[in-house]
Amino acid sequence: MRRATFRRFLPLFASALLGWGCASTPEPAPDLLAPSEEQMKLRSFQTRTFEVKDKNQAMRGVIAALQDLGFIIERANEPLGLVTAARFAEPRYFDVLGITVTVRPQKGGQMQIRANAIYNNEPITDAKVYQNFFATLERSLFIGRN
């Protein structure tokens, strides 16, 4: 008797489970990938233009600046102008600070350099952090020229 009841309700249970699984998939918001004002503001903190004509020189300056700040370089790809680095953050050395820097040539012999930093997989949105990085980078580029 119990087996017959189980067999009778099994298809109903399976279809209800299937329907619940399909119904619970959320639809992505139409503005999911739309640029926001906050993103543009953050991008302005993260981007600087420097008077450097040679991309290789700019890449070397970025690498030297990151090493001065205690980062370990994970990847450097000169054709793409990409440097990725990470370090343990103070004062708790189990926190991780990661940064990706891109170098793009601009017209007029300039380089646009953008830094994107994360702290424990959360984006850093504080402008002061990026100002500190670019100050170190400017010193590094100055030393590299002389």
Side-chain angles (χ1 to χ4, degrees):
M1 182 73 173
R2 288 185 184 178
R3 233 179 209 181
T5 305
F6 179 73
R7 285 185 181 170
R8 190 170 45 178
F9 288 110
L10 182 61
L12 181 63
F13 177 72
S15 63
L17 188 62
L18 183 63
W20 177 76
C22 292
S24 66
T25 305
E27 290 291 323
D31 61 344
L32 183 64
L33 298 176
S36 68
E37 190 168 318
E38 287 180 30
Q39 287 175 321
M40 302 315 286
K41 187 176 175 183
L42 179 61
R43 187 177 186 148
S44 71
F45 297 154
Q46 297 173 331
T47 308
R48 292 280 189 282
T49 302
F50 292 91
E51 296 290 330
V52 178
K53 294 180 181 174
D54 184 30
K55 186 176 182 180
N56 191 307
Q57 180 186 0
M59 293 280 294
R60 290 182 183 277
V62 167
I63 291 169
L66 290 172
Q67 289 175 328
D68 289 346
L69 293 170
F71 284 91
I72 297 169
I73 306 301
E74 295 176 339
R75 291 186 200 109
N77 186 323
E78 204 265 335
L80 293 177
L82 182 72
V83 178
T84 304
R87 74 171 205 188
F88 294 107
E90 298 172 12
R92 302 181 321 171
Y93 288 99
F94 51 86
D95 294 325
V96 178
L97 179 61
I99 190 165
T100 299
V101 182
T102 55
V103 177
R104 293 178 45 194
Q106 300 291 299
K107 292 181 180 175
Q110 297 179 327
M111 293 288 161
Q112 185 182 61
I113 297 176
R114 181 175 179 189
N116 190 344
I118 58 171
Y119 182 80
N120 288 337
N121 290 327
E122 293 290 326
I124 295 175
T125 57
D126 186 358
K128 181 68 177 160
V129 172
Y130 295 103
Q131 289 171 357
N132 293 339
F133 168 73
F134 286 118
T136 304
L137 176 59
E138 194 168 336
R139 281 192 301 266
S140 177
L141 291 172
F142 178 76
I143 291 170
R145 277 186 225 136
N146 299 320

